[in-house]
Amino acid sequence: DVKVTQSSRYLVKRTGEKVFLECVQDMDHENMFWYRQDPGLGLRLIYFSYDVKMKEKGDIPEGYSVSREKKERFSLILESASTNQTSMYLCASRLNRGRNEKLFFGSGTQLSVL
Amino acid sequence: QKEVEQDPGPLSVPEGAIVSLNCTYSNSAFQYFMWYRQYSRKGPELLMYTYSSGNKEDGRFTAQVDKSSKYISLFIRDSQPSDSATYLCAMTKPGNNDMRFGAGTRLTVKP
């Protein structure tokens, strides 16, 4: 089975802190994604990466950056956390973009910014 | 108007009931349709995956796609308390990186 592991289940940070969310997948998937999930808004795409060192902005990239130095690891960075970034963050991976393969999700990180 | 609309519920049914969950969408280019199930404090897990129009059945679950109406459905037969979760519809275009999700319908099946 595909396993997508997010490093933290719960995080509490202060406004202005730099925050790192880590995600690792173990199935050699090419594509990786970061979403945030808010009540009533569903999942919104922040960034995705279709290969190592490659990244593209999603719908809501403002205030976020990403890093993909190795194929299995995709990091989401909040440069200066703000209260409106309190949310559930979900990482996902997919085998290959051209074939519309299914997304596999991690368990999520619930981030609270105080 | 959102690209994908899904009634957030909540929906509460007795054990054994047939459940119908639905989504509508506006972009006719969507070709791949999925249903994800998300338990509380967990990430979504893929439940059903269909391409273009038609029906797909897997045990107690049936997914239907009606592209002419831009309408997809998930039916759950003989619902169980373990089916209590949030159900998210999702869809994407061919060769596209961006999957669009509904807001999710929260379902409770009462014993």
Side-chain angles (χ1 to χ4, degrees), chain B residues 38-84:
Chain B
Q38 185 176 22
Y39 291 114
S40 181
R41 293 184 293 277
K42 296 284 190 181
E45 56 177 337
L46 184 67
L47 195 58
M48 299 288 281
Y49 177 87
T50 55
Y51 170 69
S52 196
S53 284
N55 293 359
K56 185 172 183 180
E57 188 173 323
D58 184 2
R60 296 184 294 110
F61 299 90
T62 300
Q64 287 186 353
V65 175
D66 181 350
K67 291 193 69 186
S68 62
S69 302
K70 298 189 182 71
Y71 188 87
I72 69 171
S73 300
L74 177 71
F75 297 96
I76 307 173
R77 290 183 298 281
D78 187 26
S79 56
Q80 303 294 310
S82 58
D83 295 328
S84 298

Side-chain angles (χ1 to χ4, degrees), chain A residues 1-90:
Chain A
D1 283 351
V2 175
K3 190 159 187 183
V4 180
T5 303
Q6 293 183 232
S7 54
S8 304
R9 289 286 289 122
Y10 301 96
L11 275 180
V12 180
K13 297 291 181 181
R14 298 219 174 267
T15 303
E17 277 193 79
K18 190 168 186 175
V19 181
F20 293 86
L21 302 183
E22 304 286 344
C23 176
V24 176
Q25 51 95 1
D26 66 357
M27 285 303 290
D28 204 32
H29 282 181
E30 292 183 7
N31 305 162
M32 296 187 76
F33 304 78
W34 275 106
Y35 289 87
R36 64 177 282 177
Q37 184 176 28
D38 300 286
L41 297 178
L43 275 72
R44 293 180 291 166
L45 183 64
I46 305 171
Y47 266 97
F48 67 91
S49 168
Y50 51 90
D51 207 342
V52 177
K53 297 190 187 294
M54 308 300 282
K55 60 185 179 185
E56 288 190 26
K57 294 179 180 179
D59 294 322
I60 50 165
E62 296 79 19
Y64 303 95
S65 63
V66 290
S67 172
R68 193 164 180 206
E69 296 296 318
K70 294 185 178 181
K71 194 174 186 179
E72 68 271 18
R73 186 179 297 269
F74 192 34
S75 303
L76 180 69
I77 303 150
L78 287 67
E79 296 292 340
S80 177
S82 62
T83 54
N84 63 12
Q85 292 179 311
T86 291
S87 185
M88 168 71 90
Y89 288 87
L90 290 163

Side-chain angles (χ1 to χ4, degrees), chain B residues 10-31:
Chain B
L11 182 62
S12 181
V13 301
E15 184 175 354
I18 296 174
V19 176
S20 173
L21 304 169
N22 312 292
C23 287
T24 59
Y25 62 94
S26 57
N27 193 333
S28 58
F30 289 139
Q31 294 278 357

